[in-house]
Amino acid sequence: MKNLLKEFHILNTKIGPVGFHGPSAKLFELQPDIASSVSALKKGDQSFDALPCFERERLEQTLRVALSEGLGTRTNILGESESLTGFYLFVSQECNLACTYCYGDGGEYRKGKMMMDQRTADNFIDKFITDRNPGYLINFFGGEPLLNLPLMQRIIDRCKAKTEPYGIRMVFNMTTNGTVWNEKIANFVAANLDTVTVSLDGPKDINDSQRPGLGSFSPYDKTVRTIDELRQSEVRYTVRTIMTKNSFGRLKEIYRHNSALAGKGGVGLSSVDVADGHALGLTDAEHRALVDEIAEINSDNLHSLADSDHPQFNEYTGDLCQLLLGRQFRPRPCNASQTVLAIAADGDIYPCHRFVGYQAFCVGNVNDDQPLNDRHTELRQSFKAMPVDKNPQCSHCWAQHLCGGSCYVISHLREGDIFKPPARYCYLKQTVYERLLTEFAEIMADPQRKQRLIDNVTYLCH
């Protein structure tokens, strides 16, 4: 019973107490006295063994009966495949911007300026794109990937030529700053790419102060023109935003601004990831205030899915709907080294794009006869062996299967341990999910709003 209690979290909603059972993602109404008992036991204010026998039996029976009704099967949102099918290709480790918070060292990733050459790209394709998988996903990354457009086209053409005879699906995505654009690029994107992520930090004064260009141009003006062209095309795109001390206090303004520009892919927003003492870093108080605003914005976004004819996903609302409505769970933060690898411009291989340039995590090179080394096997096994429910840092947390744990790289840089989430990360996830689950439960209790939410989510996911 003590283990069962650990899996529950009590939400105080307008319809009364609602229990959330993490492993099953099930929400159910509870009697107020049962909810109070669960909360007190979880906080340590009461001891289960000290309760009268009849109270222990009633509590246990209530929770087990609730869980026995319609749990169904819950699937892994990361999938069960162990095949390497997702790749970040750093076709350019050069950039035409000088973002003041860039975790990629100005696009160089601690490696210096470089462009991926044809030999490296061909070796990647020859060694990793085979006829043994039903599909592959390639993310063009940088730096600014469009600075190496000819190689991107060659990669796409060669991949398609190699896979199309076998009916293998190739998906090509790109992350761009949106400032390198012309008619040729627009035609390339429309003809070849499935999704595009465009970086924009809000109104012009904010964006251009923390994402300045290397030259006499306004990155904001160029990026907005690019977004306008994407909006008129069939390409699905997302606007991605980083919040810093520079933009602190203007989150709602930034979100309204970027939501008006965003496509069906919606808006992605996260707080800046910089070293302690950085000029753009947030204090603890500022971070808490920012988290409260993020929770409020996502709450408004969730309500739009239930009440609006023009809905849009935000980062957390889309994730929550996929997990709850799709009956899925997240066992790890991502599929780094499991199904995903990143290939740097010089051919070095890393578990994911955030690891690039940290040589302790280099797991091979595509130009070697054997592209993956023993380090890859070690890291892959360690990630697989530490799902969130076995991680001592996370196994006690009610939100573990929504969250999956912190980004391995951020944990490594902040805590010196790839499996230990920073306190700020946990605060963000728990605060936002608490707010969204509470309001999700209220929406699900209203048949009309529930159906509209389901219809809108279905529309946005297709």
Side-chain angles (χ1 to χ4, degrees), residues 81-384:
S81 172
E82 296 187 1
S83 299
L84 292 168
T85 56
F87 301 94
Y88 288 87
L89 295 190
F90 284 65
V91 291
S92 166
Q93 285 181 221
E94 296 185 22
C95 191
N96 63 325
L97 300 187
C99 299
T100 52
Y101 54 74
C102 181
Y103 69 81
D105 188 32
E108 298 179 26
Y109 290 84
R110 296 153 291 277
K111 284 175 163 285
K113 296 183 185 297
M114 63 179 84
M115 294 281 184
M116 183 177 287
D117 59 24
Q118 181 176 309
R119 169 176 170 264
T120 298
D122 287 349
N123 280 333
F124 158 72
I125 294 168
D126 292 343
K127 292 172 182 176
F128 287 99
I129 306 300
T130 72
D131 60 2
R132 295 192 295 271
N133 292 300
Y136 292 93
L137 168 63
I138 290 180
N139 293 277
F140 293 109
F141 211 78
E144 173 49 55
L146 287 172
L147 295 176
N148 202 355
L149 181 65
L151 187 67
M152 291 172 65
Q153 187 68 69
R154 176 181 175 85
I155 291 168
I156 291 171
D157 291 344
R158 281 209 65 214
C159 285
K160 287 183 175 180
K162 191 172 181 181
T163 58
E164 283 181 350
Y166 302 98
I168 296 170
R169 174 165 166 72
M170 294 293 309
V171 175
F172 298 98
N173 299 339
M174 176 180 67
T175 297
T176 176
N177 62 39
T179 66
V180 180
W181 200 262
N182 54 38
E183 184 177 358
K184 181 179 180 179
I185 290 173
N187 292 335
F188 162 81
V189 169
N192 294 287
L193 300 185
D194 294 271
T195 65
V196 176
T197 298
V198 185
S199 300
L200 185 73
D201 284 355
K204 184 172 182 176
D205 65 311
I206 294 175
N207 186 81
D208 286 3
S209 67
Q210 58 193 40
R211 299 178 59 82
L214 295 176
S216 56
F217 66 93
S218 165
Y220 175 88
D221 291 344
K222 286 179 176 285
T223 301
V224 169
R225 282 197 294 270
T226 296
I227 291 173
D228 285 340
E229 291 199 28
L230 286 171
R231 186 171 11 200
Q232 297 171 34
S233 72
E234 296 298 317
V235 178
R236 186 182 182 97
Y237 69 94
T238 297
V239 176
R240 182 74 185 169
T241 299
I242 303 295
M243 286 294 303
T244 72
K245 183 184 283 290
N246 182 54
S247 50
F248 178 74
R250 297 177 65 181
L251 179 58
K252 292 180 181 179
E253 175 191 356
I254 292 167
Y255 183 75
R256 286 194 299 269
H257 177 277
N258 284 6
S259 292
L261 294 170
K264 194 175 179 181
V267 176
L269 186 148
S270 60
S271 57
V272 67
D273 174 31
V274 291
D276 294 341
H278 192 286
L280 293 181
L282 299 166
T283 65
D284 288 341
E286 288 170 338
H287 182 262
R288 288 192 296 270
L290 176 63
V291 168
D292 288 342
E293 285 193 290
I294 291 174
E296 184 176 350
I297 285 170
N298 277 274
S299 169
D300 292 342
N301 186 244
L302 182 63
H303 282 286
S304 81
L305 293 170
D307 303 319
S308 173
D309 291 327
H310 303 285
Q312 188 180 73
F313 273 144
N314 196 6
E315 187 169 17
Y316 289 100
T317 53
D319 199 41
L320 187 75
C321 288
Q322 185 176 0
L323 288 162
L324 297 189
L325 298 178
R327 299 213 51 77
Q328 296 180 313
F329 68 98
R330 190 181 302 279
R332 298 182 304 276
C334 66
N335 262 336
S337 82
Q338 305 299 309
T339 63
V340 172
L341 291 175
I343 317 299
D346 60 2
D348 278 350
I349 305 172
Y350 299 86
C352 77
H353 64 297
R354 288 300 305 266
F355 278 110
V356 170
Y358 295 109
Q359 289 306 108
F361 295 95
C362 181
V363 296
N365 189 292
V366 298
N367 297 312
D368 294 339
D369 291 339
Q370 294 295 327
L372 293 171
N373 58 33
D374 292 341
R375 181 64 171 142
H376 171 251
T377 302
E378 294 170 3
L379 280 173
R380 191 178 203 189
Q381 290 176 346
S382 68
F383 291 157
K384 185 177 180 179

Side-chain angles (χ1 to χ4, degrees), residues 383-399:
F383 291 157
K384 185 177 180 179
M386 192 64 78
V388 69
D389 57 351
K390 293 183 180 179
N391 185 339
Q393 307 289 339
C394 303
S395 59
H396 63 283
C397 177
W398 63 267

